[in-house]
Amino acid sequence: MHRSMDEPTGGAGLPAARSHPTVRPGPPLVAGAEPPDPAVLAALLRRHGWQRRGGASGRYGRWTPPGPAAGTASLLVPESAAFPDSGELIEEALLALGRSADPSARDVLVSLAVPSDEIRWWREVPESAAAAAGAAGWTEAEALRSAARQILLAGALAARGRAGYHGARHRRKARAALDDALIGPAPGGRSLTAYVPVASGRAVAVQLCHALHATREAVDYQRATGGMEAFDSAVAAGVSRELTEALIALVRGSEGAGIDLRWAPAAGAPDGCPVRPAPVEFSPGDLPALRSASARYLREEPAVQVRLTGAVVRLRRSGPRGAGIVRLRVLAGAEVAHVRVELDEEAYRIAGHAHLVGLPLRVEGRLERRGGFRRLTGASQVAPVQVDEAERDRLMKALQENVDHFEEACAGEEP
């Protein structure tokens, strides 16, 4: 899903990560792209700590970077694209940003190159001598990266559908919704920012905004009254076991943590959301409520009656006769990649024959939450599904080419 922009390809970073795009000095950011709207550039500069320090009123503003570099450089940004020299000033500003050593300049250029909603996480931890010098501990940095990844995935799962516990359901499509997200740490390793493109990930950002605030309200209610009812109603806002577990991972071992979400200036705030959502913060005192909610979601989510079609990728039984266990790669009927099904002797024989001739199997049963919705119980109506020759050849080829992958995917689920 994401790889740190400061880590080489193949490193031990965030799995399946994407780094920031390379920002080169000089406009435009993308060949043939239109210059950015001056108002968008000014909004991003303000968001990332740049200060406006004068300029011709109504014509342009002079912006300086945050921190010690404030007196060493400045940008002239027009207030409107209507002025004759606005294009030239924008080009000069982009060139200066590309050459700037300030980390915030890179963040502004990334936001211009890929109009994105920004999600920032931070953790408050005791400062060590190394941290005071700007270095981050390996364990601390990994804890933040892992928790951020889990929170993003929880938001993507909620955007696919509401559930107290998603388990293995919807994960492929949820991960696909985050394929274009960019992520990178801030200096010091105590914060992390994800850039979620508006075009492909706005639904995830919106859902995460609703879910985080609903979680905060449910935690406050539980701590004030001892009741868990608010967590039940929060499921409609996207709160789930996956989100509560991710927040536990974010807060655990810290003195406090938070998430701040900002909408892409070029797109504006989505319907139903505040223009500037308030940051959501959690403390170690919130952990008991979050843990109770996580256990409640796991316990209360019901099994699902399904009728699914899948390709047989593994068969196993203890002897030459009797019941056995079959693993199916799900093709239709359930939003999971694989399921484990226990079949009686006759149904197991049917599954074996379907596997030999390359036919998918259709089966009805209950998809159980135990094991993350990867087990089908009460199997019935087991029958091969007739497909044309071309489709059967395709299935057989896919099974032969990916047998190692299927074995790995199914491993580790035995009781």
Side-chain angles (χ1 to χ4, degrees):
M1 190 161 47
H2 315 288
R3 181 173 63 248
S4 167
M5 63 187 178
D6 294 333
E7 202 162 308
T9 303
L14 212 54
R18 291 191 65 224
S19 64
H20 283 339
T22 301
V23 177
R24 295 182 175 86
L29 294 176
V30 179
E34 290 292 325
D37 185 333
V40 171
L41 176 56
L44 289 171
L45 289 171
R46 186 178 297 107
R47 173 178 298 179
H48 291 281
W50 289 62
Q51 298 292 320
R52 178 169 177 169
R53 302 183 185 277
S57 179
R59 186 173 178 83
Y60 65 82
R62 182 176 295 278
W63 295 80
T64 57
T72 63
S74 65
L75 306 177
L76 289 180
V77 179
E79 294 192 5
S80 168
F83 299 110
D85 60 348
S86 62
E88 182 179 345
L89 289 175
I90 287 289
E91 288 187 358
E92 290 175 357
L94 296 180
L95 183 63
L97 284 170
R99 291 175 174 171
S100 175
D102 192 278
S104 65
R106 174 198 57 193
D107 294 336
V108 171
L109 288 174
V110 169
S111 297
L112 288 173
V114 185
S116 304
D117 298 322
E118 298 179 24
I119 305 171
R120 186 173 73 93
W121 297 263
W122 70 89
R123 281 164 54 91
E124 298 172 3
V125 294
E127 188 171 38
S128 63
W138 178 273
T139 302
E140 169 62 26
E142 286 302 300
L144 177 59
R145 290 153 64 88
S146 176
R149 179 177 182 270
Q150 291 176 54
I151 289 171
L152 272 181
L153 182 59
L157 286 168
R160 295 295 311 169
R162 310 294 190 276
Y165 174 45
H166 295 277
R169 296 178 293 174
H170 306 290
R171 285 187 176 262
R172 284 181 294 187
K173 292 183 178 179
R175 289 191 178 103
L178 299 171
D179 279 348
D180 296 327
L182 309 170
I183 195 165
R190 296 188 179 193
S191 65
L192 196 68
T193 302
Y195 299 83
V196 182
V198 172
S200 60
R202 170 55 68 95
V204 175
V206 169
Q207 193 58 68
L208 200 53
C209 178
H210 292 315
L212 288 170
H213 284 87
T215 304
R216 180 66 266 172
E217 292 171 4
V219 168
D220 291 340
Y221 181 86
Q222 193 280 334
R223 294 188 67 174
T225 68
M228 297 294 292
E229 311 89 80
F231 280 105
D232 296 337
S233 58
V235 172
V239 184
S240 64
R241 171 180 167 84
E242 284 76 12
L243 181 59
T244 54
E245 285 292 309
L247 291 172
I248 290 168
L250 180 68
V251 176
R252 187 173 51 226
S254 76
E255 296 175 349
I259 306 102
D260 190 15
L261 195 151
R262 308 253 187 125
W263 309 118
D271 293 339
C273 293
V275 174
R276 177 63 179 95
V280 183
E281 298 185 1
F282 296 90
S283 70
D286 298 325
L287 289 175
L290 290 170
R291 290 186 176 116
S292 296
S294 179
R296 183 184 183 91
Y297 287 140
L298 178 62
R299 183 174 63 250
E300 298 297 329
E301 185 68 20
V304 182
Q305 189 71 28
V306 295
R307 184 172 186 241
L308 60 82
T309 302
V312 179
V313 296
R314 187 175 178 186
L315 299 104
R316 179 176 63 83
R317 63 180 173 184
S318 56
R321 309 188 70 84
I325 294 173
V326 172
R327 298 185 190 278
L328 301 177
R329 177 171 64 94
V330 178
L331 304 174
E335 282 285 348
V336 294
H338 298 83
V339 295
R340 175 180 181 270
V341 191
E342 185 170 356
L343 300 175
D344 60 29
E345 182 173 2
E346 177 61 19
Y348 186 87
R349 182 186 63 80
I350 293 171
H353 287 171
H355 176 67
L356 289 174
V357 299
L359 290 176
L361 202 67
R362 181 174 292 135
V363 58
E364 296 182 11
R366 290 173 61 81
L367 201 59
E368 296 287 346
R369 70 172 186 274
R370 186 168 62 96
F373 294 95
R374 295 184 181 92
R375 301 187 182 193
L376 197 71
T377 61
S380 63
Q381 307 298 317
V382 179
V385 178
Q386 294 298 326
V387 295
D388 58 37
E389 288 295 325
E391 179 67 9
R392 180 159 60 179
D393 289 345
R394 187 191 67 78
L395 287 170
M396 289 293 287
K397 183 178 180 181
L399 291 175
Q400 291 165 2
E401 290 178 349
N402 297 282
V403 65
D404 292 337
H405 167 73
F406 294 146
E407 290 293 330
E408 180 183 351
C410 293
E413 297 174 19
E414 303 298 337

